[in-house]
DNA sequence: TGATAAAGTGTAATAGTTACACTAACAGGT
DNA sequence: ACCTGTTAGTGTAACTATTACACTTTATCA
């Protein structure tokens, strides 16, 4: 038992994990194994340990519940409305993560019954206030495309300009002009040719590019 | 005594309060009356009540400690590094507030020994990790000038274009061209003439403007 | 070698941003 | 009455960035 002179809320982290697969933006959800909302889909997350930083906690929970690790992770917002969890007062620090489609190798772990990717058109109703958290993450992601190089986080080490353009088109839900897109993205001076090509299918091979400073997200103009 | 099956961190809110006075950006600080960091300057803030929302808690603490109320308030970021408070594990949800210079009427309240406004060049060292919180708020404020109408929150109901321009210049720390600024700000269609003028000093009176939708901060292009 | 499919490339029109200097209106002093 | 000092208010031209738009290249496969 842990006792305090005045009441303390519980603190959790929840993570909105995005990837792009099958030409779609996908959200990672777990099916809840325990009460409350047993059997409902929810964002991965859990309680913050007493000796770990918030971001550490988010990475740990993500790893434990889904097997995902080493990805881009950014704090989103904190949610703390009384009553958002029926058990006790719970304040959650929400994060969002972007993972390259190649890296998605899920495992269902101990405290999650099942893990799955859901397209934006096939989202189930979520437990707690996770709909609200997701909506904010979706919005932040879209906004950040315009003023940062966050989109690169969806791609592996090497990628073609068409793949990169597709990331933008999927998130922004609108087609982009190929020439203008290339002009723009190259002018950012954030990617460079690897010298290699990707040859797949009965057509001209595409030049491969890499991010010049991988792991960093630059703020642009 | 309040007891739990597993340990809970304490949760606080801290508020970075900005105003513009004497042609300077100022930060509101309180001198700590109790331990730890007794006598040191710190951001206003305090523990979140079990039945109040996070933003409510921020407004209440701000009102209690400084007498400031009814102002623009936005969640900034959450800080939770273990050891950031020497007493126990404390996670803080930081907010920032903008208040019009006319509204600043401070009172030193119960749990704060003293309250004061500090210019950016005269900031004392702050308690806890409040320097870090302040730095992030300063940065967010500057960034938001570019893509929102947040700057209007520093002004009263009626203001001149020169006053508005001055807000931008002070926060961005660089002079702006008067004609270009006016062209730009009027094109936003967020302010309108009141029809009145402000006559002060031995020179041409300035037209007064008001925000068309007061209380809302618009995201611009 | 012809069909198919995606990769790759430039230019002109338009819109937005920047640089820049003088006149207008008031208060106060002579 | 008029001169001085001080801030308010105004337009245009050059430059930069963004948009619209269509054909050629290079591969595979039948």
């Amino acid at each position: 038992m842990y006792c305090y002179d005045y009441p303390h809320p519980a603190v959790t982290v929840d993570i909105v994990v995005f990837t792009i697969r099958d030409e779609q933006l996908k959200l990672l959800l777990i099916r809840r194994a325990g009460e409350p909302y047993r059997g409902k889909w929810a964002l991965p997350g859990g309680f913050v340990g007493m000796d770990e930083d918030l971001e550490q906690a988010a990475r740990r929970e993500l790893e434990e519940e889904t097997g995902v690790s080493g990805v881009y992770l950014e704090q989103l917002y904190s949610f703390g409305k009384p009553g958002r969890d029926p058990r006790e007062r719970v304040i959650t620090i929400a994060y969002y993560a972007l993972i390259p489609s190649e890296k998605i190798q899920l495992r269902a772990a101990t405290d999650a019954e099942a893990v799955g990717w859901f397209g934006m058109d096939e989202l189930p109703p979520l437990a707690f206030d996770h709909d609200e958290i997701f909506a904010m993450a979706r919005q932040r992601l879209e906004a950040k495309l315009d003023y940062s190089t966050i989109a690169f986080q969806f791609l592996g080490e090497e990628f073609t300009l068409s793949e990169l353009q597709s990331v933008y088109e999927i998130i922004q839900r609108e087609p982009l002009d190929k020439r203008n897109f290339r002009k723009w993205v190259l002018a950012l001076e954030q990617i460079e040719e690897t010298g290699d090509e990707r040859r797949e299918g009965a057509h001209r091979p595409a030049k491969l590019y890499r991010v010049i400073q991988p792991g960093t997200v630059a703020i642009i103009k």
Side-chain angles (χ1 to χ4, degrees), chain A residues 199-219:
Chain A
R199 196 166 41 266
E200 61 175 2
H203 54 82
R204 180 172 178 174
K207 286 184 188 162
L208 287 171
Y209 289 78
R210 75 167 76 87
V211 175
I212 295 174
Q213 300 145 277
T216 66
V217 168
I219 301 301

Side-chain angles (χ1 to χ4, degrees), chain A residues 23 38 49 57 96 143 182:
Chain A
E23 303 287 289
R38 176 196 293 264
Y96 70 105
R182 284 162 187 243

Side-chain angles (χ1 to χ4, degrees), chain A residues 11-13 46-54 56-58 60-61:
Chain A
V11 177
T12 60
V13 288
F47 294 96
V48 175
M50 288 305 272
D51 298 312
E52 65 184 356
D53 196 2
L54 300 174
Q56 271 175 50
R60 178 185 48 74
E61 287 288 350

Side-chain angles (χ1 to χ4, degrees), chain A residues 4-202:
Chain A
Y4 307 92
D5 290 343
Y6 53 95
H8 283 39
V11 177
T12 60
V13 288
D14 287 303
I15 309 104
V16 182
V17 189
F18 291 110
T19 197
I20 288 180
R21 212 214 302 192
D22 308 330
E23 303 287 289
Q24 270 201 292
L25 182 62
K26 303 260 187 179
L27 171 65
L28 178 63
L29 295 174
I30 59 159
R31 193 194 290 275
R32 288 186 54 82
E35 290 297 339
Y37 295 101
R38 176 196 293 264
K40 281 266 184 291
W41 292 95
L43 300 175
F47 294 96
V48 175
M50 288 305 272
D51 298 312
E52 65 184 356
D53 196 2
L54 300 174
E55 184 175 320
Q56 271 175 50
R59 291 194 183 278
R60 178 185 48 74
E61 287 288 350
L62 194 53
E63 162 74 32
E64 283 177 14
E65 294 196 341
T66 68
V68 168
S69 70
V71 298
Y72 178 77
L73 188 70
E74 183 184 313
Q75 193 182 298
L76 175 65
Y77 199 78
S78 296
F79 297 81
K81 206 170 53 254
R84 57 177 292 285
D85 188 309
R87 292 167 293 184
E88 64 175 325
R89 178 75 190 276
V90 179
I91 289 163
T92 195
I93 322 291
Y95 281 77
Y96 70 105
L98 308 186
I99 94 171
S101 38
E102 21 175 85
K103 237 185 180 169
I104 50 182
Q105 187 77 326
L106 298 183
R107 70 170 135 94
T110 48
D111 48 349
E113 204 175 74
V115 188
W117 291 103
F118 292 81
M120 296 298 104
D121 299 330
E122 54 192 26
L123 289 181
L126 304 184
F128 306 103
D129 53 358
H130 288 184
D131 293 295
E132 190 185 345
I133 298 174
F134 159 73
M136 190 179 280
R138 178 76 182 75
Q139 198 182 337
R140 178 93 132 246
L141 172 63
E142 195 165 349
K144 274 223 157 181
L145 279 200
D146 287 335
Y147 67 92
S148 81
T149 58
I150 202 173
F152 301 157
Q153 299 298 326
F154 282 112
L155 298 167
E157 281 196 16
E158 300 194 321
F159 52 87
T160 68
L161 293 185
S162 294
E163 287 167 346
L164 182 56
Q165 180 174 343
S166 165
V167 170
Y168 279 86
E169 289 176 331
I170 290 166
I171 298 172
Q172 292 177 168
R173 303 188 215 76
E174 61 184 17
L176 297 173
D177 179 83
K178 194 203 280 194
R179 280 174 291 190
N180 292 340
F181 177 78
R182 284 162 187 243
K183 222 184 307 171
W184 172 78
V185 79
L186 292 173
L188 296 179
E189 300 192 312
Q190 296 285 330
I191 61 176
E192 61 189 4
E193 295 186 18
T194 65
D196 266 345
E197 298 186 326
R198 173 170 303 159
R199 196 166 41 266
E200 61 175 2

